[in-house]
Amino acid sequence: KNQVEQSPQSLIILEGKNCTLQCNYTVSPFSNLRWYKQDTGRGPVSLTIMTFSENTKSNGRYTATLDADTKQSSLHITASQLSDSASYICVGQGSYIPTFGRGTSLIVHP
Amino acid sequence: DAEITQSPRHKITETGRQVTLACHQTWNHNNMFWYRQDLGHGLRLIHYSYGVQDTNKGEVSDGYSVSRSNTEDLPLTLESAASSQTSVYFCASSEGGTNEKLFFGSGTQLSVL
């Protein structure tokens, strides 16, 4: 059965600090992994996609990594802002329907 | 701009009543999905459709049904609402293919009393 596990479940940091969110996946066959950001009261929005051949990809202050050997991905947020407060969801994609992680809730305090 | 809209945003109903949540997308996407989101569970798939007249059960489909009569709409029906179905419901659509990106609606908060 395909699975996606995220850690930590929740995280509180001060504005301006960096943080890293983790995602372990078991998706077979593996096609890609997406990170979504979900603001409170809104639907998730795609931040970035990592395919099998990609190791690192940046989108502004967000940098995603993928290690296909260990089946791990991370999302690093640099110089956090209050607007980064949200839930971050890791989603593994194989041949069929995507497999969702439960998300990491990030709170950025001023 | 293309979009995906859900209605209503909030709904309160009583146990045993039939409820229908609407989902409409203007992306012309073939794939549409319904998820529920509860604390501690994340997003769980209820039903999905790969095109007109196609519907499939997800992991938590009991008590729910969908129909796909056109490309734009995938209404979700709770045949006889139960308190366990109190949740936030999200509709999503995608083009399809292995790199598919899901586009989500803003959700419907359903309370069953």
Side-chain angles (χ1 to χ4, degrees):
Chain A
K1 180 182 177 182
N2 291 339
Q3 283 188 314
V4 173
E5 301 286 342
Q6 292 188 243
S7 62
Q9 185 174 351
S10 61
L11 184 61
I12 301 173
I13 62 174
L14 291 175
E15 186 179 11
K17 298 296 185 182
N18 304 335
C19 67
T20 300
L21 314 180
Q22 301 289 347
C23 174
N24 294 339
Y25 65 92
T26 305
V27 175
S28 181
F30 177 76
S31 173
N32 63 75
L33 186 140
R34 280 190 186 271
W35 284 92
Y36 287 82
K37 179 187 180 188
Q38 184 178 20
D39 292 316
T40 301
R42 309 292 295 177
V45 175
S46 178
L47 282 175
T48 187
I49 179 175
M50 301 295 292
T51 59
F52 185 85
S53 59
E54 295 175 309
N55 297 119
T56 303
K57 182 181 286 185
S58 292
N59 178 5
R61 294 180 297 102
Y62 300 101
T63 299
T65 67
L66 182 73
D67 186 331
D69 292 330
T70 62
K71 295 182 171 54
Q72 294 180 327
S73 178
S74 67
L75 182 69
H76 184 76
I77 303 175
T78 303
S80 61
Q81 300 177 357
L82 298 180
S83 59
D84 293 330
S85 294
S87 179
Y88 293 83
I89 304 170
C90 177
V91 182
Q93 177 73 53
S95 296
Y96 304 105
I97 55 176
T99 302
F100 281 74
R102 295 185 179 185
T104 292
S105 175
L106 174 65
I107 298 174
V108 181
H109 278 310
Chain B
D1 287 343
E3 60 181 358
I4 179 166
T5 55
Q6 293 184 234
S7 61
R9 285 301 308 274
H10 303 275
K11 175 76 176 178
I12 300 174
T13 190
E14 295 177 341
T15 303
R17 289 191 180 266
Q18 184 181 78
V19 177
T20 297
L21 309 183
C23 175
H24 178 80
Q25 53 99 3
T26 58
W27 296 98
N28 201 35
H29 286 163
N30 285 324
N31 300 349
M32 295 186 73
F33 307 82
W34 272 105
Y35 292 90
R36 61 178 289 175
Q37 188 173 39
D38 306 285
L39 279 174
H41 287 281
L43 285 154
R44 291 183 290 174
L45 183 63
I46 305 172
H47 281 286
Y48 59 102
S49 169
Y50 287 147
V52 177
Q53 302 301 329
D54 175 74
T55 60
N56 306 279
K57 293 181 178 181
E59 62 179 309
V60 291
S61 61
D62 287 349
Y64 304 94
S65 64
V66 294
S67 61
R68 189 88 180 272
S69 59
N70 58 52
T71 300
E72 296 80 16
D73 300 290
L74 187 70
L76 177 71
T77 298
L78 287 68
E79 303 293 344
S80 177
S83 57
S84 60
Q85 294 177 309
T86 292
S87 185
V88 181
Y89 292 85
F90 287 98
C91 180
S93 70
S94 71
E95 270 188 351
T98 54
N99 287 350
E100 62 176 289
K101 176 166 70 173
L102 292 170
F103 293 84
F104 285 86
S106 295
T108 295
Q109 171 69 64
L110 176 67
S111 297
V112 183
L113 306 179

